[in-house]
């Protein structure tokens, strides 16, 4: 039987479709034409046919403005000076690993594998028309930020821009390392809210340096790279959208194994946890100090040109200014001022309703004096200045002050301490005059380094810096200088006694034009023989008058001049009670000499200035002066310790007074403090309670606080509320309590160092308390009515 024929395994070739060769030729022609066209566009763009391309020099030194940084003693950025860009670049090594991982996972996972253009990403974008992600690499995004402008809606223009980005990206890749490109990209990006670059963003949104960012914080900032205007985390913008975008970044980090699933889920459940600190010139940390510093730097720039004769630009040249301010102590000082002044203001408003005080916010004032205050405020107002420049007449200007207008005004109880309201500019003058002001400065006496500076309650609304710009009557805070002069010049012991009786200095003596007979507060005299120590502790005017009579006013004036007080001082006996005007800055420096063994050290705010390359441009030289012996300085300090043991400062140590002293509940903010460590202090109160002062000192920190109205006629009705121990002392106490809660600050709790072989007797008498009795009843009741 014959075998069946095996069919051939090779199929017959099907005939080509009609026209196939033509289609193939067209396809390959178009393909090669596209390739040629692409490379032609690439080449033409590279030689600048479609617009200028950056030169080698520009690629090597991209032009970005750099803000001047203000750096604290503990290496934190307090703020910046800038015009449009609040930028301070950092290196790749200063970036946290989680930030780099978030960036790679979200923006360019193949970043370390390509040379500026991601072929896979580009093909994917073309194939899916961008629906599955874009094709821009980190390097391309950097090139766009640095060297190209946003294109119009024209498709061809957008294509040309993309080609230019490719060209620049490849050049950047040849010029810089991958790590440098990442750092440049994060440094150049605008994160919104004046946060130009990653360092400003970390500071403004989280109050941190970039290296301190955790994974969820890094994820939020990387999420903002997509569109910082849309994904803006502040409450008034888009916090929910920003949180969703952050969570998408965290998912990308899990996808590429930078986070495990449990960590991702945990972080996605967390809120944004912002610590938003805007860095405008009127907001943020240490605003009053920064404005003082701006003036200091402008003067320094004017006096210190560059080598080529040009001047540094404070806002563009990226200077670094190293200051003595400690960011933690500055925060404690600002919190202490805000916390107490809010309570104090509430009590002031309670006492000064229109019904209780028809001339509110002023007291003890005649109608013509009140009108003079308002008229002066109108004359010096910004509204009047601007209207005069525009040619308005005085009548038109005055009329405008009586028309209601929408405005934002300061308010302690509103968000961000301001509210929208409708009032006349005239009413706003009276409104702002009703607010009490405050100032505080704190300094290390051995070095003169100023650790905290608070010039007011809110810089946006009250721009007058009460630390250094203005002077106020000193009151009893001046008395220690009288006692110091007597101890120094006459070698008197604080244990010597003088009677608490009315004392007069005759006309013609010590420059007196008339007979001078100062009264004790309340007009009472005990007739007791008081030691200098007891008399200063209780601020007895009659004894102080006798001391100035013994030593004379001229030596007192000379002493305070040597202690750095520049204010005009008339050498007359009345200066003993603090009639002279001084400022907080001067008083801190002067008191520092007592803690520094008699050596005055001029307060220092700036230790060094460098350019953006780190070249040292300025370094401070301490200014010191030996003013008194160690024995005299210690003796005065010992006298001042008596104030907190047996005087107006005793409330720093007591407990329970709020049970029977109503002002404690309302305005002695933070009481009780119950400090046990040695503290030297002095309160001061001026006539009609217009000014309240407190100086507090431990061995390595001296601080002075002032509280009062802009006008002397703005004050409390009674001394219980208006004395320095009520208005100013609580700010110091709360500040110190917060400082002691941070042991790393190293604030001393030790005794003041006693000189060996002390030549002056200082141990006079025991403190007036009984064992087991905190001394409140005796000390506080005894102190009622005295001049503090």
């Amino acid at each position: 039987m014959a075998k069946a024929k095996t069919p051939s395994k090779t199929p017959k070739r099907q005939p080509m479709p009609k026209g196939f060769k033509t289609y193939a030729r067209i396809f390959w022609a178009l393909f090669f034409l596209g390739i040629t066209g692409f490379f032609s566009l690439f080449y033409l763009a590279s030689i600048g046919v479609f617009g200028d391309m950056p030169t080698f020099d520009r690629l090597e030194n991209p032009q970005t403005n750099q803000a001047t940084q203000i750096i604290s003693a503990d290496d934190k950025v307090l703020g910046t000076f800038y015009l449009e860009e609040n930028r301070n670049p950092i290196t790749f090594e200063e970036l946290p690993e989680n930030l780099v991982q978030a960036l790679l996972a979200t923006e360019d996972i193949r970043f370390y594998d390509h040379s500026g253009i991601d072929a896979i990403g580009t093909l994917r974008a073309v194939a899916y028309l961008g629906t599955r992600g874009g094709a821009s690499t980190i390097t391309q995004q950097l090139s766009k930020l640095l060297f190209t402008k946003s294109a119009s809606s024209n498709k061809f223009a957008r294509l040309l821009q993309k080609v230019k980005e490719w060209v620049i990206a490849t050049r950047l890749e040849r010029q810089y390392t991958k790590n440098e490109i990442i750092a440049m990209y994060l440094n150049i990006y605008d994160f919104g809210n004046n946060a130009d670059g990653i360092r400003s963003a970390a500071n403004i949104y989280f109050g941190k340096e970039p290296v301190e960012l955790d994974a969820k914080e890094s994820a939020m900032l990387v999420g903002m790279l997509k569109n910082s205007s849309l994904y803006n985390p502040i409450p008034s913008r888009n916090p929910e959208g920003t949180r969703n975008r952050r969570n998408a970044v965290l998912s990308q980090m899990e996808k590429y194994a930078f986070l495990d699933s449990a960590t991702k889920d945990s972080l996605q459940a967390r809120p944004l946890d912002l610590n938003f600190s805007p860095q405008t010139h009127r907001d943020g940390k240490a605003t009053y100090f920064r404005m003082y510093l701006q003036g200091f730097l402008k003067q320094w720039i004017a006096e210190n040109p560059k080598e080529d004769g040009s001047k540094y630009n404070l806002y563009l040249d990226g200077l670094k200014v190293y200051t003595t301010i400690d960011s933690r102590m500055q925060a404690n000082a600002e919190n202490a001022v805000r916390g107490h002044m809010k309570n104090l203001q509430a009590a002031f408003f309670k006492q000064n309703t229109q019904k209780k005080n028809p001339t509110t916010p002023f007291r003890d004032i005649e109608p013509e004096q009140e009108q003079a205050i308002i008229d002066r405020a109108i004359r010096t107002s910004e509204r009047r200045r601007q209207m005069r420049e525009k040619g308005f007449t005085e009548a038109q200007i005055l009329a405008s002050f009586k028309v209601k207008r929408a405005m934002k005004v300061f308010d302690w109880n509103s968000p961000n301490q301001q509210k929208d309201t409708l009032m006349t500019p005239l009413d706003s003058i009276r409104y702002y005059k009703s607010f009490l002001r405050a100032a505080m400065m704190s300094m290390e006496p051995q070095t003169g380094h100023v650790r905290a500076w608070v010039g007011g309650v809110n810089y946006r609304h009250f721009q007058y810096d009460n630390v250094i710009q203005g002077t106020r009557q000193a009151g009893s805070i001046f008395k220690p200088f009288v006692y110091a002069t007597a101890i120094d010049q006459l070698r008197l012991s604080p244990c010597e006694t003088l009677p608490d009786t009315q004392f007069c200095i005759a006309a013609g003596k010590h420059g007196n034009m008339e007979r001078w007979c100062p009264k004790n507060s309340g007009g009472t005299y005990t007739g007791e023989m008081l030691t200098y120590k007891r008399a200063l502790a209780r601020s007895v005017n009659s004894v102080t008058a006798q001391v100035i009579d013994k030593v004379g006013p001229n030596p007192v004036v000379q002493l305070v001049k040597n202690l750095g007080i520049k204010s005009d001082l008339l050498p007359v006996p009345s200066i003993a009670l603090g009639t002279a005007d001084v400022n907080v800055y001067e008083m801190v420096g002067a008191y520092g000499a007592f803690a520094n063994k008699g050596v005055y050290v001029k307060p220092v705010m700036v230790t060094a200035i460098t350019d953006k390359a780190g070249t040292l441009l300025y370094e401070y030289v301490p200014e010191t002066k030996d003013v008194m012996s160690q024995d005299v300085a210690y003796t005065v300090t010992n006298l001042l310790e008596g104030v907190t043991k047996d005087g107006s400062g005793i409330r720093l140590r007591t407990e329970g007074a709020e049970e029977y002293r109503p002002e404690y509940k309302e305005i002695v903010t933070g009481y009780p403090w119950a400090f046990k460590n040695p503290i030297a202090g002095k309160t001061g109160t001026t006539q009609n309670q217009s000014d309240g002062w407190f100086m507090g000192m431990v061995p390595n920190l001296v601080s002075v606080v002032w509280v009062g109205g802009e006008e002397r006629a703005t004050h409390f009705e009674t001394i219980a509320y208006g004395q320095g121990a009520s208005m100013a002392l609580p700010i110091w106490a709360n500040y110190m309590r917060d400082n002691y809660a941070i042991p790393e600050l190293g604030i001393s709790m030790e005794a003041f160092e006693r000189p060996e072989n002390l030549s002056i007797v200082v141990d006079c008498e025991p403190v007036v308390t009984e064992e087991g009795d905190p001394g409140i009843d005796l000390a506080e009741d005894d102190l009622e009515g005295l001049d503090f």
Side-chain angles (χ1 to χ4, degrees):
M1 185 175 178
K3 278 187 176 183
K5 189 175 181 181
T6 304
S8 171
K9 293 183 180 181
T10 303
K12 292 182 179 179
R13 178 177 293 180
Q14 298 295 322
M16 292 282 185
K18 189 175 181 180
F20 174 81
K21 291 183 179 181
T22 302
Y23 294 141
R25 291 191 188 100
I26 293 174
F27 169 79
W28 287 111
L30 290 174
F31 176 79
F32 285 113
L33 182 63
I35 294 295
T36 303
F38 170 79
F39 283 106
S40 296
L41 282 173
F42 199 90
Y43 172 74
L44 292 172
S46 69
I47 62 175
V49 171
F50 304 124
D52 291 339
M53 296 293 286
T55 64
F56 179 85
D57 288 339
R58 282 193 67 202
L59 286 171
E60 191 173 39
N61 300 289
Q63 297 300 307
T64 58
N65 296 328
Q66 293 186 21
T68 290
Q69 285 183 279
I70 306 164
I71 301 172
S72 70
D74 55 322
D75 204 30
K76 302 292 183 182
V77 176
L78 292 173
T80 53
F81 295 122
Y82 61 93
L83 288 179
E84 296 179 357
E85 297 181 351
N86 180 21
R87 190 183 321 285
N88 291 287
I90 60 175
T91 65
F92 180 84
E93 287 70 29
E94 296 173 272
L95 298 173
E97 184 180 31
N98 57 48
L99 180 67
V100 176
Q101 291 172 344
L103 177 64
L104 295 176
T106 309
E107 299 292 329
D108 192 354
I109 193 61
R110 287 178 291 276
F111 174 71
Y112 284 98
D113 299 322
H114 62 64
S115 298
I117 300 173
D118 182 6
I120 297 174
T122 300
L123 291 174
R124 182 191 63 223
V126 171
Y128 295 99
L129 301 178
T131 59
R132 297 192 181 183
S136 288
T137 64
I138 292 173
T139 316
Q140 286 175 251
Q141 293 178 51
L142 173 61
S143 70
K144 181 178 180 180
L145 291 173
L146 282 174
F147 301 114
T148 63
K149 299 178 181 179
S150 297
S152 66
S153 57
N154 182 283
K155 293 182 179 180
F156 183 69
R158 289 206 305 271
L159 175 62
L160 291 181
Q161 176 178 289
K162 183 62 66 177
V163 172
K164 289 176 70 174
E165 289 174 18
W166 286 338
V167 174
I168 297 170
T170 58
R171 290 183 177 181
L172 287 172
E173 289 273 349
R174 292 197 298 269
Q175 188 70 34
Y176 297 98
T177 67
K178 289 287 189 178
N179 291 350
E180 287 173 335
I181 288 171
I182 286 179
M184 288 175 67
Y185 177 53
L186 292 173
N187 282 327
I188 203 72
Y189 191 80
D190 178 2
F191 288 87
N193 300 304
N194 295 313
D196 295 298
I198 190 63
R199 187 172 197 177
S200 292
N203 270 274
I204 288 173
Y205 292 118
F206 298 109
K208 296 180 175 182
E209 287 298 301
V211 73
E212 300 170 322
L213 294 170
D214 62 31
K216 65 180 176 58
E217 293 165 344
S218 292
M220 190 201 87
L221 294 177
V222 168
M224 293 176 71
L225 295 171
K226 186 173 184 179
N227 185 334
S228 60
S229 295
L230 175 61
Y231 299 110
N232 190 323
I234 63 173
S236 61
R237 298 295 295 276
N238 186 17
E240 189 60 32
T242 306
R243 185 171 180 267
N244 293 337
R245 176 62 183 160
R246 178 205 67 181
N247 288 349
V249 174
L250 291 170
S251 294
Q252 286 294 105
M253 294 178 73
E254 180 205 19
K255 175 180 177 180
Y256 292 110
F258 294 129
L259 293 176
D260 59 46
S261 180
T263 301
K264 183 264 295 183
D265 292 341
S266 173
L267 294 178
Q268 286 182 333
R270 296 286 304 278
L272 292 177
D273 290 332
L274 293 182
N275 179 16
F276 183 60
S277 302
Q279 285 186 3
T280 67
H281 297 310
R282 293 189 176 189
D283 298 295
K285 307 168 189 172
T287 46
Y288 289 92
F289 173 74
R290 286 192 278 125
M291 289 305 102
Y292 159 79
L293 191 60
Q294 186 178 50
F296 170 90
L297 290 171
K298 285 182 177 179
Q299 181 177 345
W300 178 84
I301 287 170
E303 297 172 353
N304 296 271
K306 299 178 183 178
E307 291 183 359
D308 62 4
S310 64
K311 295 187 181 300
Y312 290 99
N313 190 309
L314 176 61
Y315 306 102
L316 304 176
D317 283 349
L319 300 176
K320 291 188 177 181
V321 183
Y322 295 89
T323 73
T324 60
I325 298 293
D326 185 290
S327 68
R328 298 159 296 183
M329 296 172 73
Q330 179 68 27
N332 289 344
E334 292 178 1
N335 290 337
V337 169
R338 279 194 298 266
H340 177 60
M341 293 306 295
K342 182 177 180 179
N343 288 341
L344 196 67
Q345 192 66 50
F348 183 82
F349 282 149
K350 186 177 178 181
Q351 288 188 15
N352 284 277
T353 62
Q354 194 71 37
K355 184 176 181 181
K356 292 181 179 179
N357 177 20
T359 60
T360 187
F362 312 118
R363 285 186 178 274
D364 308 314
I365 191 171
E366 298 298 325
E368 58 271 20
Q369 294 173 309
E370 180 181 1
Q371 189 59 48
I373 291 174
I374 301 300
D375 289 344
R376 185 174 65 250
I378 292 174
R379 286 196 307 273
T380 58
S381 69
E382 183 66 13
R383 166 177 289 277
R384 179 174 180 270
R385 185 190 69 78
Q386 291 182 1
M387 291 186 72
R388 287 191 69 187
E389 288 181 352
K390 294 177 181 178
F392 288 92
T393 66
E394 284 298 320
Q396 290 173 317
I397 293 172
L398 290 176
S400 77
F401 274 83
K402 299 176 183 179
V403 179
K404 284 189 175 183
R405 303 175 186 279
M407 59 180 73
K408 292 182 183 294
V409 297
F410 177 76
D411 180 60
W412 276 115
N413 298 310
S414 296
N416 300 320
Q417 297 176 353
Q418 70 177 16
K419 66 179 181 181
D420 294 309
T421 190
L422 191 69
M423 66 170 66
T424 69
L426 191 60
D427 287 338
S428 75
I429 289 175
R430 190 176 292 273
Y431 176 77
Y432 273 96
K433 296 274 185 197
S434 69
F435 284 95
L436 297 172
R437 315 298 170 88
M440 178 183 184
M441 182 172 138
S442 190
M443 183 189 80
E444 187 178 273
Q446 290 76 23
T447 62
H449 288 189
V450 174
R451 297 307 188 193
W453 176 306
V454 184
V457 295
N458 182 294
Y459 185 81
R460 177 173 288 276
H461 292 276
F462 306 97
Q463 293 172 23
Y464 192 80
D465 188 346
N466 291 288
V467 166
I468 199 167
Q469 281 185 302
T471 57
R472 293 297 289 249
Q473 199 173 71
S476 297
I477 200 172
F478 193 87
K479 290 177 180 176
F481 303 122
V482 179
Y483 285 83
T485 306
I487 294 167
D488 185 39
Q489 298 287 315
L490 306 178
R491 310 307 294 175
L492 297 178
S493 165
C495 298
E496 295 185 33
T497 59
L498 289 170
D500 178 17
T501 57
Q502 187 166 30
F503 181 83
C504 296
I505 296 178
K509 187 178 184 182
H510 300 314
N512 262 355
M513 298 297 292
E514 299 176 355
R515 189 167 180 257
W516 184 59
C517 303
K519 296 180 179 179
N520 284 343
S521 181
T524 60
Y525 306 88
T526 66
E528 298 177 38
M529 295 298 292
L530 299 178
T531 63
Y532 286 17
K533 180 179 285 189
R534 177 68 63 82
L536 181 62
R538 300 189 173 193
S539 209
V540 181
N541 289 345
S542 63
V543 174
T544 306
Q546 295 173 68
V547 176
I548 192 75
D549 184 49
K550 286 177 178 290
V551 72
N554 280 300
V556 175
V557 171
Q558 186 57 51
L559 176 74
V560 296
K561 292 292 185 183
N562 288 337
L563 291 172
I565 294 178
K566 305 297 184 184
S567 302
D568 290 334
L569 299 170
L570 290 175
V572 294
S574 61
I575 64 167
L577 304 186
T579 56
D581 288 345
V582 296
N583 63 38
V584 171
Y585 172 87
E586 292 175 333
M587 295 301 278
V588 172
Y591 269 101
F594 297 132
N596 194 35
K597 302 179 181 180
V599 179
Y600 168 77
V601 182
K602 185 178 180 180
V604 177
M605 283 70 73
V606 177
T607 58
I609 301 172
T610 68
D611 63 17
K612 61 184 176 184
T615 303
L616 183 65
L617 304 176
Y618 164 85
E619 188 172 26
Y620 92 105
V621 177
E623 296 182 41
T624 65
K625 186 174 187 178
D626 291 336
V627 178
M628 65 191 78
S629 69
Q630 291 188 35
D631 285 9
V632 172
Y634 176 80
T635 300
V636 176
T637 301
N638 186 267
L639 285 174
L640 294 169
E641 285 188 80
V643 174
T644 69
K645 295 177 181 178
D646 184 32
S648 54
I650 196 172
R651 61 184 58 182
L652 291 169
R653 305 189 181 283
T654 61
E655 298 181 65
E658 72 274 16
E659 297 299 324
Y660 62 95
R661 301 288 293 263
E663 73 271 18
Y664 275 72
K665 290 184 179 180
E666 284 192 284
I667 62 168
V668 186
T669 313
Y671 180 86
W673 303 283
F675 290 111
K676 305 298 183 186
N677 57 297
I679 298 170
K682 186 69 190 82
T683 56
T685 308
T686 61
Q687 189 175 11
N688 295 329
Q689 304 83 244
S690 294
D691 305 276
W693 294 83
F694 184 73
M695 185 287 304
M697 187 165 67
V698 296
N700 64 351
L701 194 68
V702 57
S703 309
V704 172
V705 181
W706 168 85
V707 175
E710 181 184 10
E711 305 291 338
R712 291 186 55 79
T714 302
H715 59 78
F716 279 103
E717 181 179 13
T718 64
I719 197 168
Y721 284 78
Q723 64 179 295
S726 296
M727 290 210 296
L729 178 146
I731 292 175
W732 184 89
N734 292 321
Y735 166 68
M736 291 300 290
R737 180 160 60 188
D738 289 346
N739 285 342
Y740 282 131
I742 308 174
E744 307 87 70
L745 293 176
I747 307 300
S748 175
M749 299 189 75
E750 304 301 317
F752 292 91
E753 184 179 349
R754 183 178 179 128
E756 294 183 12
N757 303 316
L758 180 64
S759 61
I760 304 172
V761 177
V762 296
D763 301 317
C764 309
E765 55 194 349
V767 176
V768 186
T769 57
E770 297 178 4
E771 186 175 353
D773 179 0
I776 300 172
D777 294 339
L778 176 59
E780 290 284 356
D781 290 347
D782 252 4
L783 297 171
E784 184 68 37
L786 293 182
D787 176 21
F788 301 141

